[in-house]
Amino acid sequence: LYASKAAGRGQFTFFEPGMDMPGGDTMKAELLRALAHKEFELHYQPIVNLSDVSVLGYEALLRWRHPEQGLILPDTFIPTAEDSGLIVEIGQWILEQACQDACGWEDGQKVAVNISAVQLHRGDIGASVRQALASTGLPPSRLELELTESVLLNRQEAEATLADIRNLGVGLALDDFGTGFSTFTYLAELPVTRIKLDRHFVSTLETNERSRAILASTINLARNLQLEVTAEGIENMTQLAWLRGVGCDAGQGYLFGKPQRQDLFFPSPSRLVSARAQ
Ligand code: C2E
Ligand code: MG
Ligand code: MG
Ligand code: MG
């Protein structure tokens, strides 16, 4: 196969960012072809209300259905998409597809879309968002953009753009919270509406007292800032019970559902119930 050293890292890892593909094609050319041939798809992972486990919305997670390699996960190819600038075009497709899909969901359910730094700094993300909302008719309040700290490296530039998007009524979540270096500055300066607690803290909460302290304090901080808070990577009932106990609003993780194609989980059970009642 392409990269034997990748073999040990899981069946989905076939490419290194920027590495040459067989036949002399670069991964960038492969990505261009993938876009043209509609090989990208969005999988959706539920985000639930921790008190009653009702579905608040879904996070859109990008996958590449490669004709020979099968399903490829985003960490493998997004760096190349970013380096080459192609993420701007791919990101536009993601936004439109996610907004379109969300139009078919239950009233009020949100779609969360990950945004890369490159989209913010090299593309016109404000225009992309407006275009996606206009062409699909999704109410802006049902869209949330997920930003990591790297998105915000050039904060002055980001500030104006994000304020503009926030003014449309679109939500802004700070993803992987706690893994960066200067997240507090971002919280103070940017119009974010949600904090997503990084999976690392959740996965270690049972064994690491410090993880628990960080989670509890951040949930408290979010409350004081009147921000919503989602815990990522909840995999078991112990984690769920503890997070409920400290007042975490929302959660996401394999315990509630893995990312999957929406045609595999729709119509959802509650839709079936209402369909049956009609
Ligand atoms: P993220 O935004 O922090 O997404 C959460 C990742 O954690 C997803 O990995 C998800 O499958 C995984 N995850 C969710 N629950 C659990 C759990 O309970 N246990 C474990 N072990 N993992 C869990 P995925 O789909 O591989 O995505 C990885 C990253 O790639 C994302 O991290 C995001 O930064 C990026 N990404 C994904 N889709 C897009 C996209 O459409 N655009 C951009 N720019 N980046 C994307
Ligand atoms: Mg995310
Ligand atoms: Mg995350
Ligand atoms: Mg992440």
Side-chain angles (χ1 to χ4, degrees):
L1 279 167
Y2 296 149
S4 53
K5 70 170 180 178
R9 267 189 269 142
Q11 53 178 329
F12 295 123
T13 308
F14 293 96
F15 306 115
E16 295 291 337
M19 100 182 209
D20 283 346
M21 299 289 292
D25 277 354
T26 61
M27 195 200 240
K28 182 189 172 182
E30 276 278 292
L31 288 170
L32 261 173
R33 188 186 52 76
L35 195 59
H37 292 206
K38 304 192 192 314
E39 289 170 16
F40 292 115
E41 56 187 54
L42 293 178
H43 287 203
Y44 291 97
Q45 184 178 36
I47 299 168
V48 307
N49 181 336
L50 287 192
S51 25
D52 60 5
V53 198
S54 59
V55 177
L56 300 168
Y58 297 86
E59 178 174 2
L61 294 159
L62 184 65
R63 270 90 180 98
W64 177 7
R65 193 162 298 275
H66 192 280
E68 287 114 41
Q69 307 297 330
L71 201 65
I72 304 177
L73 292 175
D75 287 336
T76 316
F77 61 88
I78 283 192
T80 306
E82 289 176 334
D83 292 346
S84 63
L86 267 177
I87 192 68
V88 173
E89 229 177 308
I90 299 172
Q92 173 76 50
W93 175 83
I94 294 168
L95 266 171
E96 295 218 26
Q97 187 64 46
C99 290
Q100 187 184 313
D101 289 344
C103 284
W105 302 348
E106 287 176 32
D107 277 353
Q109 287 184 339
K110 290 189 187 186
V111 63
V113 176
N114 292 285
I115 299 295
S116 148
V118 181
Q119 286 173 269
L120 207 77
H121 299 303
R122 276 171 72 176
D124 186 346
I125 186 68
S128 291
V129 168
R130 280 192 176 78
Q131 157 73 26
L133 293 172
S135 68
T136 61
L138 186 77
S141 59
R142 292 186 54 198
L143 175 64
E144 193 166 276
L145 304 186
E146 295 196 1
L147 316 161
T148 56
E149 208 168 275
S150 67
V151 163
L152 310 168
L153 282 183
N154 185 345
R155 204 174 72 236
Q156 278 178 336
E157 190 189 333
E159 248 176 73
T161 310
L162 294 179
D164 174 43
I165 291 172
R166 181 65 202 119
N167 283 335
L168 297 173
V170 171
L172 296 173
L174 216 42
D175 207 350
D176 303 343
F177 188 87
T179 57
F181 294 104
S182 45
T183 347
F184 288 110
T185 322
Y186 300 129
L187 272 185
E189 311 282 329
L190 297 169
V192 293
T193 51
R194 179 185 301 276
I195 289 174
K196 294 193 78 173
L197 301 165
D198 192 70
R199 173 156 64 83
H200 169 79
F201 302 109
V202 175
S203 69
T204 55
L205 80 80
E206 289 146 282
T207 51
N208 188 334
E209 192 182 337
R210 291 183 176 212
S211 291
R212 293 195 294 277
I214 289 167
L215 287 168
S217 311
T218 310
I219 289 161
N220 205 29
L221 172 71
R223 193 178 299 124
N224 289 332
L225 293 172
Q226 294 179 306
L227 302 178
E228 293 178 289
V229 58
T230 303
E232 302 186 297
I234 303 175
E235 295 186 350
N236 65 50
M237 293 299 293
T238 313
Q239 294 163 347
L240 171 61
W242 190 86
L243 287 160
R244 271 182 177 149
V246 293
C248 187
D249 309 326
Q252 188 177 350
Y254 295 166
L255 180 65
F256 311 112
K258 291 196 171 179
Q260 49 177 329
R261 275 166 37 192
Q262 68 158 357
D263 52 292
L264 299 179
F265 63 79
F266 283 101
S268 67
S270 52
R271 283 190 140 205
L272 286 174
V273 171
S274 58
R276 247 182 258 127
Q278 276 170 6

